[in-house]
Amino acid sequence: MRLWHETLIKQLPRQQLLGQHRECCALRGGGWGKKHATVDYVFKYSPYKLFQYHELVMQEMLARGYVPNQNWFNPLYRGTKTPAYSTLAIVALTTPIYPEHNDDYYTECITNLLGKGIKLTKQVFC
């Protein structure tokens, strides 16, 4: 389980993009707060930040012609098995969404993708 550096979302191959959607759905639902070394940092922040990240993923899915369930565009929604939040304070959008998505994390993600045989074009961010 991994949240790819947000600048890579537009370049992710189909499998990784759709996998990222599934990961976001799982984390927003019953997976919220469940320890996992690679994504534990998300639990330090409001679930609204995860919604913001997930929205980037879903916008890219729409741009490619995929149709995510519209319920996921509601920040309170947590899937069919987990009750929705009754309220969730809006958090200002930051760039990056997660401060952990820095230069080192970008390199870690690129290395991980290369290990899967996926080579992406270097992006300038910050």
Side-chain angles (χ1 to χ4, degrees):
M1 185 179 293
R2 166 183 302 278
L3 293 185
W4 299 108
H5 191 285
E6 67 190 62
T7 62
L8 298 175
I9 292 171
K10 289 186 179 291
Q11 293 189 80
L12 290 174
R14 176 187 184 278
Q15 182 177 351
Q16 279 68 31
L17 179 66
L18 298 180
Q20 192 72 142
H21 173 60
R22 287 189 302 274
E23 296 296 347
C24 288
C25 293
L27 284 170
R28 285 181 62 188
W32 184 257
K34 291 188 179 168
K35 293 289 184 186
H36 191 286
T38 311
V39 294
D40 275 357
Y41 64 91
V42 302
F43 307 132
K44 295 190 308 187
Y45 306 98
S46 166
Y48 197 85
K49 281 188 118 21
L50 180 57
F51 164 72
Q52 292 171 328
Y53 179 89
H54 191 192
E55 196 169 34
L56 288 178
V57 172
M58 293 188 291
Q59 290 300 332
E60 181 58 24
M61 289 173 66
L62 289 171
R64 295 188 196 185
Y66 302 115
V67 185
N69 182 324
Q70 288 298 303
N71 291 330
W72 288 111
F73 286 94
N74 177 347
L76 303 177
Y77 186 69
R78 301 187 70 200
T80 58
K81 296 180 181 174
T82 306
Y85 293 111
S86 56
T87 61
L88 191 58
I90 294 173
V91 175
L93 183 62
T94 58
T95 303
I97 293 172
Y98 290 106
E100 288 80 1
H101 288 202
N102 56 25
D103 291 343
D104 291 339
Y105 189 70
Y106 179 87
T107 301
E108 183 181 322
C109 288
I110 291 292
T111 301
N112 183 290
L113 288 164
L114 281 171
K116 299 175 187 309
I118 301 165
K119 185 174 181 178
L120 302 181
T121 307
K122 176 122 174 94
Q123 296 290 305
V124 177
F125 63 96
C126 297

